[in-house]
Amino acid sequence: MVIRSEAGQEEPARGPERLGEASLPRPEGPLVWFHTGGESEAMALPELIARLGLEREDLNMLVTTERFSPHHQLEALLPQTALHQYAPYEVPQAVEAFLEHWKPDLAVWADRSLHPVMLSGMAEENLPVVMIDGRMPDEAGQRWRWRPGMVKVLLRQFSHILAADAQSARNLRRLGASSHRVELSGYLQEGSAPLPYVESERDYLADIFAARPVWLAVSVAPGEETLIIETHRQASRRSHRLMLILVPECSSDGPALAARLHEDGWRVALRSTDDEPGADVQILVADQPGELGLWYRLAPVTVMGQTFEGQAPRNPHEAAALGSAILFGPHPARFGERFNRLAEAGAARRVPDSSKLGDELEALLSPERAATMAAAAWEVSTSGAEVSDRICELIMDTLDRRGV
């Protein structure tokens, strides 16, 4: 078989994995195998896997994808205890070799496609398979109706199916999935556990800020500082009491940044020296590590730094989980899929041109608009958490029934 590296479809150095030749040893102990098509479909898995690891420290996790991504976003986000391999080709020899090496105790199917050879190989090994984030839109359902016998056999191999939406649940049942095994759960979405904070400090600062409008710029790269300051200058012309909470990329840069801002004529408070952010302060340089949970709770609007310049923006679900509306730039890097999903849900807005950031911020400083986006952000976070809870429960129950 030819490995399709010439067209950029495979990672050349790891092409043998597609033939079922593992490049890593199988770890000792129980192994849960997550399979998905590509990285965009797998971006919710790292947090789910981390959650499972907390519930059972003896669990090993393996994630397989089919499509090659040169940026390796998924591997960068996976917990260190999770392994990544490319899925075997749809040929019996590759699938057999893969299963013989890894010997998974449970397969979790998160692929939007059904692969007959792979699923048949699992059935021959009596491997339990559960489908999560199950999607079967009308178009896909119509295609499968030309092969009713095959699709029915494939769907009956799943011990449980968590359907992402009502349309998919209906189509899966119509195509032959056992009705009692199909459950409408909703979409598995990337979430983020709310960051911690000190309640007394939040109350204290909220009292100091009183009714002042506040916005937050987080993890700001040095090359973005001018953009953020000019945006604040523009917005302050219409909102004279506006305060910016500025979190630099590196907390050690805080004192020098505060000094530059002071020289430019801004009234600045520096968090690391316990400066009071009183009524006359225009910019609070928040350079104390570990306080992001506090700032997200206090700021109704967050601009995600390093999405205009830089390479390592923060996870946007940190802000979404705490109800802060999100603005982000044209370069969301490894979190691109997460930013896009939040934007689709109305919880975030992309600013493709940095010159428009001031206009977008001014629009969101309207309490009504910020509240609408914050509610959408909260909805995304809470619904994703409920789906994750159900998936963890299903996985643990299945392992318990197998005595693993």
Side-chain angles (χ1 to χ4, degrees):
M1 177 178 295
V2 177
I3 298 172
R4 299 169 298 181
S5 59
E6 296 83 359
Q9 296 174 312
E10 310 286 358
E11 185 173 358
R14 294 174 60 183
E17 293 176 21
R18 299 288 269 141
L19 303 177
E21 300 175 13
S23 60
L24 297 170
R26 187 205 190 279
E28 295 291 331
L31 176 70
V32 178
W33 168 28
F34 294 84
H35 171 70
T36 186
E39 289 199 352
S40 63
E41 301 164 42
M43 297 308 287
L45 292 181
E47 290 170 20
L48 176 65
I49 288 171
R51 163 84 179 276
L52 286 167
L54 292 174
E55 295 200 18
R56 276 192 60 171
E57 294 182 356
D58 64 328
L59 278 185
N60 300 294
M61 261 72 78
L62 170 69
V63 180
T64 57
T65 54
E66 298 170 32
R67 295 185 289 279
F68 165 55
S69 172
H71 302 294
H72 297 286
Q73 296 179 358
L74 176 62
E75 292 184 57
L77 295 172
L78 283 173
Q80 291 184 350
T81 54
L83 307 176
H84 173 263
Q85 294 277 276
Y86 288 106
Y89 284 127
E90 271 286 279
V91 294
Q93 299 92 328
V95 172
E96 290 170 10
F98 176 89
L99 293 172
E100 174 62 26
H101 175 82
W102 291 104
K103 294 182 173 61
D105 296 288
L106 168 65
V108 180
W109 193 268
D111 197 334
R112 298 177 190 178
S113 300
L114 299 175
H115 300 305
V117 176
M118 195 181 299
L119 288 168
S120 296
M122 296 177 192
E124 291 176 6
E125 297 292 328
N126 294 315
L127 177 64
V129 190
V130 298
M131 181 188 293
I132 65 172
D133 210 27
R135 306 189 194 193
M136 185 62 70
D138 290 341
E139 301 79 16
Q142 289 291 343
R143 289 194 297 271
W144 275 112
R145 287 193 180 98
W146 290 100
R147 293 178 284 178
M150 176 183 288
V151 70
K152 185 173 182 178
V153 169
L154 294 177
L155 290 175
R156 290 297 172 99
Q157 293 181 25
F158 293 98
S159 60
H160 206 94
I161 296 176
L162 297 182
D165 53 61
Q167 181 188 75
S168 294
R170 181 184 67 249
N171 288 333
L172 288 164
R173 292 189 182 101
R174 286 178 177 176
L175 290 171
S178 300
S179 295
H180 68 281
R181 295 182 180 180
V182 178
E183 174 185 344
L184 176 59
S185 65
Y187 291 92
L188 173 64
Q189 302 186 71
E190 311 93 302
S192 179
L195 294 176
Y197 73 110
V198 178
E199 180 69 32
S200 59
E201 190 69 8
R202 193 214 72 84
D203 292 343
Y204 171 73
L205 289 170
D207 185 60
I208 290 179
F209 296 162
R212 290 187 67 180
V214 176
W215 70 288
L216 169 67
V218 63
S219 193
V220 176
E224 296 173 314
E225 290 173 5
T226 299
L227 169 64
I228 295 301
I229 297 305
E230 289 308 310
T231 297
H232 186 54
R233 193 187 309 277
Q234 175 184 333
S236 296
R237 294 190 185 106
R238 293 192 178 184
S239 182
H240 301 293
R241 301 179 64 237
L242 180 66
M243 186 171 70
L244 163 63
I245 302 173
L246 176 55
V247 181
E249 176 187 2
C250 296
S251 57
S252 59
D253 293 339
L257 173 59
R260 289 196 302 273
L261 292 171
H262 180 75
E263 290 175 3
D264 288 342
W266 294 97
R267 295 185 294 276
V268 183
L270 182 63
R271 179 69 171 170
S272 60
T273 57
D274 293 326
D275 291 346
E276 284 282 323
D280 63 330
V281 169
Q282 298 168 300
I283 301 174
L284 169 61
V285 177
D287 60 338
Q288 283 284 79
E291 292 191 325
L292 282 177
L294 174 66
W295 308 128
Y296 286 133
R297 283 174 170 85
L298 288 166
V301 180
T302 296
V303 172
M304 305 301 294
Q306 299 197 62
T307 60
F308 296 92
E309 291 188 23
Q311 299 179 342
R314 303 285 306 187
N315 180 353
H317 283 276
E318 292 178 345
L322 294 173
S324 189
I326 298 167
L327 292 173
F328 66 98
H331 307 296
R334 65 179 185 172
F335 291 121
E337 185 72 15
R338 301 186 181 197
F339 278 104
N340 290 339
R341 290 190 182 183
L342 286 168
E344 290 171 2
R349 296 190 66 172
R350 178 188 292 270
V351 185
D353 184 346
S354 60
S355 66
K356 303 296 184 183
L357 180 59
D359 296 335
E360 295 287 353
L361 176 63
E362 287 187 50
L364 282 190
L365 288 176
S366 161
E368 294 79 12
R369 295 192 67 176
T372 298
M373 288 183 67
W378 176 254
E379 177 65 24
V380 169
S381 297
T382 54
S383 63
E386 291 171 0
V387 176
S388 294
D389 288 344
R390 180 64 184 114
I391 292 173
C392 288
E393 179 184 35
L394 179 59
I395 290 173
M396 293 303 177
D397 287 349
T398 303
L399 291 174
D400 286 344
R401 285 195 297 271
R402 283 179 59 85
V404 178

